[in-house]
Amino acid sequence: MFSFAVLATQGHARRGRLTLNRGTVETPVFMPVGTYGSVKGVMPSSLEAMGVEIILGNTFHLWLRPGLDVLRRFGGLHRFEGWPRPLLTDSGGFQVWSLGANAKVSEEGVAFASPVNGDKLLLTPELSMQIQRVLDSDIAMQFDECTAYQVEGRVAGEDEVCRSMQMSLRWAKRSRDEFIRLENPNALFGIVQGGMFEVLREESIAALARLDLPGYAIGGVSVGEPKAEMQRIVAHTPHRLPAAKPRYLMGVGTPEDLLEGIAAGVDMFDCVMPTRNARNGHLFTRFGDLRIRNARYKEDEAPPDPSCACPTCARFSRAYLHHLDRCGEMLAPMLASLHNLHFYVDVMRQVRAALAEGRFDAFAAQFSADRQRGL
Ligand SMILES: [Zn+2]
């Protein structure tokens, strides 16, 4: 089962609802990242309590560990990781990109040595679909080549980016054919590539739209390009995708990036930032970012974010979090992750309410002013 309904629009921004096999997802949505089958340091019950409706898993990592035999035994990733709500899995393309020079890309797929045990492996569009079939994720992603911003120390040229984008299109078709052959009952999304070239992005969109997939993602952003380049593509691409299908901006970003993406017509986001930054003592708040390691918080009795209703802010002070961090207590990154995810999820809840009431622009302006005001 898959459907998407646009419930309200304001400019390019949309308030929508995704219906998947395991539940509905209100959009715009932020999806926490659970790379190895765990949103780092956060219990699934805590994610449910804060209103998370969908999380990510990673095909590449779960294929290597625990491997398909274990996942098959559990009937997929949901039961294995104790998460009954919808799941989206990345295809492995981005992880292969992360391997850099250690991966060899050909038309067939990507050959590389396993970072776990050195085994020689070949990941293809077909194998990615077979793995995602075993994971039984509610949304599977096509296998793509995430085009690098830089190649061998220089910015990739239009010809190289074009060749990469066109291979991703051929891989999209192979992914789609294998997805159908496997009788996967879930939904497959395509991924727009084309680097920082608008004309290539438009070519990618046109070809993917002809495949008539249930949804489309924007890949190849947040891959080392300057911020202004990312903003140019995020402003350009989303609203050119088919209006009736959900649009997913992969791997982005800060709260401000999310608001810009929504204004450009994006419905879905994922990013490791709330959890990764939390582990480094970086808390996002309505009134700017808080670096809990700063000595100024040593005796601060205030909650991390006075406007936040999360379990961390309801019970603990900045001084306590500062202390836990200083002592290397594992509760420090757990409490910070809980707060940051709650903050991201709550911003999205507020965005959806603003869109439903036709006041998104005013909300975005106020949010930006609040964030810049500082704590
Ligand atoms: Zn909080």
Side-chain angles (χ1 to χ4, degrees):
M1 175 193 253
F2 181 88
S3 68
F4 179 65
V6 176
L7 307 176
T9 60
Q10 196 180 331
H12 292 311
R14 299 120 65 87
R15 160 83 181 94
R17 180 171 296 139
L18 261 175
T19 306
L20 302 166
N21 280 329
R22 290 177 186 80
T24 59
V25 176
E26 305 294 333
T27 66
V29 63
F30 177 79
M31 306 181 284
V33 179
T35 305
Y36 294 96
S38 145
V39 177
K40 287 189 198 303
V42 184
M43 295 278 283
S45 55
S46 299
L47 297 172
E48 287 174 344
M50 71 175 82
V52 172
E53 293 175 321
I54 180 170
I55 64 173
L56 254 72
N58 195 276
T59 294
F60 177 85
H61 292 295
L62 294 164
W63 172 43
L64 299 181
R65 289 181 301 188
L68 298 188
D69 289 345
V70 172
L71 289 159
R72 251 188 223 106
R73 183 177 291 270
F74 281 81
L77 186 55
H78 290 86
R79 185 172 150 244
F80 183 62
E81 68 178 25
W83 177 256
R85 293 183 181 180
L87 268 171
L88 180 151
T89 46
D90 181 359
S91 67
F94 185 78
Q95 275 63 41
V96 163
W97 172 81
S98 307
L99 293 170
N102 297 320
K104 196 168 178 321
V105 181
S106 68
E107 187 69 31
E108 175 64 11
V110 183
F112 61 96
S114 163
V116 176
N117 58 16
D119 284 358
K120 291 220 180 322
L121 298 169
L122 176 69
L123 188 56
T124 64
E126 290 76 17
L127 181 53
S128 174
M129 291 306 111
Q130 290 155 17
I131 300 165
Q132 294 185 76
R133 181 73 182 89
V134 172
L135 295 171
D136 198 20
S137 46
D138 301 79
I139 299 175
M141 300 303 299
Q142 77 153 94
F143 191 62
D144 65 328
E145 185 186 29
C146 180
T147 312
Y149 179 68
Q150 288 202 330
V151 182
E152 293 157 3
R154 56 178 176 77
V155 174
E158 186 169 345
D159 285 359
E160 295 164 273
V161 175
C162 183
R163 278 195 298 275
S164 168
M165 179 273 285
Q166 285 176 341
M167 187 165 71
S168 281
L169 288 177
R170 293 190 293 276
W171 287 2
K173 187 166 181 310
R174 283 169 59 187
S175 296
R176 195 268 319 259
D177 292 349
E178 183 69 2
F179 189 87
I180 292 170
R181 192 188 71 78
L182 295 166
E183 298 180 2
N184 190 322
N186 300 299
L188 175 67
F189 281 20
I191 304 178
V192 177
Q193 292 289 349
M196 302 298 133
F197 300 95
E198 280 91 347
V199 61
L200 297 182
R201 291 272 171 189
E202 286 165 27
E203 196 181 323
S204 176
I205 290 170
L208 284 171
R210 284 195 287 275
L211 292 179
D212 195 27
L213 298 168
Y216 298 99
I218 297 141
V221 289
S222 202
V223 291
E225 74 279 15
K227 185 102 183 178
E229 294 278 88
M230 184 189 91
Q231 288 171 322
R232 180 165 58 80
I233 293 303
V234 169
H236 164 269
T237 301
H239 65 88
R240 288 179 161 81
L241 284 159
K245 310 282 179 79
R247 305 159 175 164
Y248 161 30
L249 179 60
M250 303 179 84
V252 175
T254 65
E256 285 72 20
D257 293 336
L258 267 54
L259 270 285
E260 283 179 27
I262 290 163
V266 176
D267 306 301
M268 307 163 70
F269 300 87
D270 80 285
C271 193
V272 295
M273 207 174 255
T275 42
R276 178 184 289 166
N277 288 23
R279 296 195 296 280
N280 294 315
H282 176 169
L283 281 75
F284 295 97
T285 85
R286 180 65 183 244
F287 300 102
D289 297 346
L290 186 154
R291 313 277 177 166
I292 203 67
R293 290 177 185 166
N294 195 313
R296 66 192 276 208
Y297 299 119
K298 190 170 191 290
E299 298 178 354
D300 194 334
E301 294 175 57
D305 182 346
S307 71
C308 178
C310 86
T312 300
C313 293
R315 190 181 281 237
F316 305 106
S317 64
R318 295 170 186 170
Y320 182 62
L321 265 64
H322 175 86
H323 159 76
L324 291 179
D325 184 79
R326 277 284 158 100
C327 298
E329 283 291 327
M330 70 167 91
L331 192 57
M334 290 171 67
L335 291 178
S337 296
L338 197 57
H339 165 79
N340 277 353
L341 285 175
H342 190 280
F343 177 74
Y344 268 63
V345 167
D346 201 53
V347 169
M348 289 303 187
R349 193 179 290 124
Q350 293 175 46
V351 164
R352 292 194 297 269
L355 279 167
E357 294 163 14
R359 52 178 179 80
F360 173 70
D361 292 344
F363 172 82
Q366 184 65 52
F367 183 80
S368 173
D370 287 349
R371 289 269 300 161
Q372 282 165 31
R373 198 198 78 179
L375 282 160

